[in-house]
Amino acid sequence: MGRMLLLLLFAVGASCASADVTTGRAEQALNIAVIEDVPSVALGIRLLRAAYKELNIELVIHSFPSRRALLMAEQGVMDGDLFRVEAVGNDTESLVQVPYPLLEGQLFAVRREPVADWKASTQESQLVAIRRGVIVEEMTAASSGLEPVPTASYAQVNELLERGRVSVALVSEIEGFSPMQHASWSKFHQHAEPVTTFTLYHYLHERHKDLIRPLARILRRLDQSGAKRKILEQTHSESTADTW
């Protein structure tokens, strides 16, 4: 009962915060779900706030575990989800993609010792450490025929590698944000070539589909004008390796 009441209150709040921009009444605020405790989230929030500012819309940020954030946006309790890989976002009926890339990422294999073929070297152990909630890591582990060992943080991934509990970990790097920047990872070896690359897109609930194309145009302009680069550089300068 308590959970249903909470969802109802969120839904009422989200509905009251929004108005139809097609009628000429600018929306005052949108409730956006974000993944908690992921450093690249700060960059994504800054980019979107810059874009929505041009539409006279304020973002209200709500942090959740990854799958709950997606569920809250999909059910319309939130107005949208900060970012998702295309395969995840497009698998929902009620979420609509803003069709301009928000962030770009790469997924790397990390081991205790250098090897030429990271996947072949996992044959002695099918276990691979991943960060819980980073769905691209979960998907890649599954498609590689490996058994993921979810962790609550990259610090725990580090610990599993250090103790030899897993032979390999999958680590995401998004626009230069990577746990490999932390000194505690210097003893490990990152495979030179990424396992895969991915693009993160912003998603809105379908009730805000009229914002999709304006946002895409603004994101493109922020990118081409160099404004996105400045936001990226500022976020990097303010971040620390201890964030991971």
Side-chain angles (χ1 to χ4, degrees):
M1 176 66 70
R3 182 181 179 187
M4 291 298 297
L5 178 60
L6 178 61
L7 290 175
L8 178 60
L9 289 173
F10 262 120
V12 171
S15 176
C16 292
S18 302
D20 185 359
V21 296
T22 61
T23 65
R25 294 176 296 163
E27 297 187 57
Q28 298 303 306
L30 288 182
N31 294 283
I32 302 297
V34 307
I35 303 172
E36 58 187 7
D37 194 30
V38 177
S40 54
V41 162
L43 174 58
I45 290 173
R46 284 183 170 178
L47 284 171
L48 284 183
R49 278 190 165 145
Y52 277 100
K53 185 177 181 180
E54 296 193 24
L55 298 173
N56 195 30
I57 297 174
E58 177 188 357
L59 295 189
V60 181
I61 302 302
H62 303 268
S63 297
F64 303 101
S66 178
R67 294 187 184 279
R68 189 182 305 171
L70 182 62
L71 180 63
M72 298 285 271
E74 183 181 5
Q75 292 184 340
V77 179
M78 294 286 104
D79 293 301
D81 190 285
L82 180 66
F83 55 52
R84 293 286 166 176
V85 294
E86 196 165 18
V88 174
N90 290 354
D91 195 34
T92 63
E93 294 184 359
S94 59
L95 293 182
V96 185
Q97 180 195 97
V98 175
Y100 191 82
L102 186 66
L103 300 172
E104 301 288 348
Q106 297 175 298
L107 188 62
F108 289 94
V110 178
R111 293 184 55 90
R112 296 181 63 180
E113 66 286 329
V115 293
D117 185 343
W118 75 270
K119 188 175 179 182
S121 65
T122 62
Q123 294 307 307
E124 73 276 11
S125 171
Q126 295 296 308
L127 302 179
V128 56
I130 63 170
R131 167 72 157 79
R132 181 180 292 111
V134 184
I135 299 179
V136 67
E137 296 180 8
E138 299 176 5
M139 295 168 58
T140 302
S143 64
S144 299
L146 303 174
E147 181 180 347
V149 180
T151 67
S153 67
Y154 280 115
Q156 291 186 5
V157 173
N158 185 299
E159 184 177 352
L160 289 176
L161 279 173
E162 175 68 22
R163 293 185 177 185
R165 299 288 298 274
V166 296
S167 60
V168 64
L170 294 177
V171 174
S172 296
E173 177 182 314
I174 299 175
E175 300 287 355
F177 285 96
S178 169
M180 294 297 292
Q181 297 168 336
H182 196 286
S184 64
W185 287 80
S186 61
K187 56 183 171 289
F188 302 129
H189 299 270
Q190 177 177 291
H191 200 271
E193 295 298 322
V195 176
T196 187
T197 60
F198 56 91
T199 301
L200 296 170
Y201 292 90
H202 177 43
Y203 284 84
L204 283 171
H205 191 269
E206 59 186 357
R207 65 174 173 266
H208 301 297
K209 60 185 179 182
D210 54 327
L211 294 175
I212 296 300
R213 295 198 178 282
L215 278 171
R217 288 194 295 269
I218 293 170
L219 287 174
R220 179 185 297 275
R221 186 164 65 250
L222 289 175
D223 192 3
Q224 295 177 344
S225 68
K228 177 178 179 179
R229 172 55 54 183
K230 291 181 179 179
I231 293 172
L232 175 60
E233 291 173 351
Q234 179 186 359
T235 307
H236 271 292
S237 68
E238 295 176 358
S239 68
T240 66
D242 292 336
T243 305
W244 295 90

